[in-house]
């Protein structure tokens, strides 16, 4: 069974009114990286996942979850 | 320059980089028609081989560093962040497989028709480096277009 990493980045970002560039600047990565993570194309490293969670003041588990397809 | 401005600058340069890599790969491939179109006597002249070697080294340097000419440490860091590095690793894997497959093709071809060492190096080197460059450019362009 295939597994996929789902995330709530877009919802959390839009809730705060942040652009992808603003979130990228807070995390210290490119907008493209945020974009590919949001779209499920790129699976972030633990370090980046922790930094994203810290930016949103959320836990990694609140932002990312594994979905079985 | 603020952090968001740095991100936007990196975004702009990243798009330019993917376009440039694609064009460079095309120019690199097109340049090989000059090599194989030249008469045998002048094909392996020192200036011709030297120019190709310099071009290959430049392409490899671009692939290895993701754009060593780009200025600004912070912008360079953003340009070569983890998604760009992942794309580069995947592109290098494509380059590896293209090299091995072209090597096998040249080896089989040499059974039927003699291939000189210089010709073989040109074919294998061009396909390997060119395929990696195109792969990186396509992956980056796709990533920029998402969303």
């Amino acid at each position: 069974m295939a597994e996929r990493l789902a995330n709530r980045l877009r919802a959390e970002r839009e809730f705060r009114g942040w652009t992808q560039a603003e979130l990228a600047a807070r995390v210290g990565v490119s907008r493209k990286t945020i974009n590919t993570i949001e779209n499920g194309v790129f699976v972030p490293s633990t370090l980046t996942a922790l930094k994203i969670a810290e930016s949103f003041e959320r836990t990694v588990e609140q932002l990312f979850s594994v979905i079985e397809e | 320059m603020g952090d968001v401005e740095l991100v936007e600058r990196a975004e702009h340069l990243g798009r330019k980089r993917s376009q440039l890599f694609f064009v460079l790969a095309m120019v690199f491939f097109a340049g090989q028609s000059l090599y194989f179109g030249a008469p045998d006597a002048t094909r392996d002249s020192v200036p011709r081989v030297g120019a190709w070697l310099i071009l290959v080294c430049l392409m490899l340097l671009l692939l290895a560093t993701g754009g060593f000419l780009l200025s600004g440490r912070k912008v360079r860091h953003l340009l070569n962040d983890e998604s760009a590095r992942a794309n580069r690793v995947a592109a290098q894997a494509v380059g590896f497989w293209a090299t091995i497959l072209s090597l096998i093709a040249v080896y089989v071809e040499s059974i039927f028709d003699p291939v000189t060492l210089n010709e073989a190096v040109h074919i294998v080197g061009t396909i390997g480096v060119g395929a990696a460059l195109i792969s990186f450019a396509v992956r980056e362009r796709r990533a920029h277009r998402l969303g």
Side-chain angles (χ1 to χ4, degrees), chain B residues 21 33-34 41 63 88 104:
Chain B
F21 274 29
S33 61
L34 295 175
L63 263 176
R88 214 159 66 213
I104 292 168

Side-chain angles (χ1 to χ4, degrees), chain A residues 30-33 35 42 45 48, chain B residues 11 81-83 140 143 146:
Chain A
S30 64
R31 189 204 65 85
K32 180 194 67 190
T33 296
N35 190 27
F42 178 65
S45 66
T48 300
Chain B
E11 173 77 10
D81 68 352
E82 64 182 70
S83 67
E140 286 284 288
L146 278 171

Side-chain angles (χ1 to χ4, degrees), chain A residues 10 19-22 24-26 28-33 35-37 39 41-45 47-48, chain B residues 3-4 7-8 10-11 15 17 77-79 81-84 86-87 139-140 142-147:
Chain A
R10 179 166 290 149
T19 63
Q20 287 184 335
E22 283 172 322
R26 287 168 190 269
V29 295
S30 64
R31 189 204 65 85
K32 180 194 67 190
T33 296
N35 190 27
T36 49
I37 294 170
N39 285 288
V41 173
F42 178 65
V43 176
S45 66
L47 187 66
T48 300
Chain B
D3 285 352
V4 175
V7 167
E8 282 166 357
E11 173 77 10
R15 286 177 187 272
R17 177 176 66 178
H77 170 76
L78 288 173
L79 266 169
D81 68 352
E82 64 182 70
S83 67
N87 282 341
R139 284 166 200 277
E140 286 284 288
R142 202 183 295 150
H144 280 293
R145 281 179 185 164
L146 278 171

Side-chain angles (χ1 to χ4, degrees), chain A residues 38-59:
Chain A
E38 275 189 5
N39 285 288
V41 173
F42 178 65
V43 176
S45 66
T46 310
L47 187 66
T48 300
L50 284 167
K51 282 183 179 175
I52 292 170
E54 193 181 10
S55 299
F56 286 132
E57 294 178 337
R58 292 272 192 266
T59 64

Side-chain angles (χ1 to χ4, degrees), chain B:
Chain B
M1 197 184 283
D3 285 352
V4 175
E5 284 173 86
L6 283 174
V7 167
E8 282 166 357
R9 173 105 182 108
E11 173 77 10
H12 175 72
L13 286 174
R15 286 177 187 272
K16 289 279 175 208
R17 177 176 66 178
S18 62
Q19 289 166 357
L20 178 71
F21 274 29
F22 194 81
V23 170
L24 274 176
M26 288 300 146
V27 169
F28 190 46
F29 279 129
Q32 300 319 301
S33 61
L34 295 175
Y35 175 81
F36 286 101
D40 288 354
T42 61
R43 187 178 283 177
D44 294 317
S45 64
V46 173
R48 203 182 285 271
V49 172
W52 182 78
L53 276 176
I54 289 169
L55 203 55
V56 168
C57 289
L58 180 71
M59 303 281 186
L60 285 174
L61 207 54
L62 284 174
L63 263 176
T65 63
F68 61 96
L69 294 172
L70 298 165
S71 61
R73 193 174 55 82
K74 285 182 179 174
V75 173
R76 210 165 42 237
H77 170 76
L78 288 173
L79 266 169
N80 295 317
D81 68 352
E82 64 182 70
S83 67
R85 287 198 302 273
N87 282 341
R88 214 159 66 213
V89 168
Q92 286 166 0
V94 168
F96 168 80
W97 285 110
T99 302
I100 297 299
L101 291 175
S102 61
L103 201 69
I104 292 168
V106 168
Y107 184 64
V108 171
E109 165 68 12
S110 71
I111 295 168
F112 305 102
D113 193 18
V115 180
T116 68
L117 177 65
N118 281 3
E119 286 171 344
V121 169
H122 254 268
I123 293 168
V124 173
T126 302
I127 291 175
V129 175
L133 266 182
I134 287 176
S135 174
F136 180 70
V138 168
R139 284 166 200 277
E140 286 284 288
R141 286 173 81 172
R142 202 183 295 150
H144 280 293
R145 281 179 185 164
L146 278 171

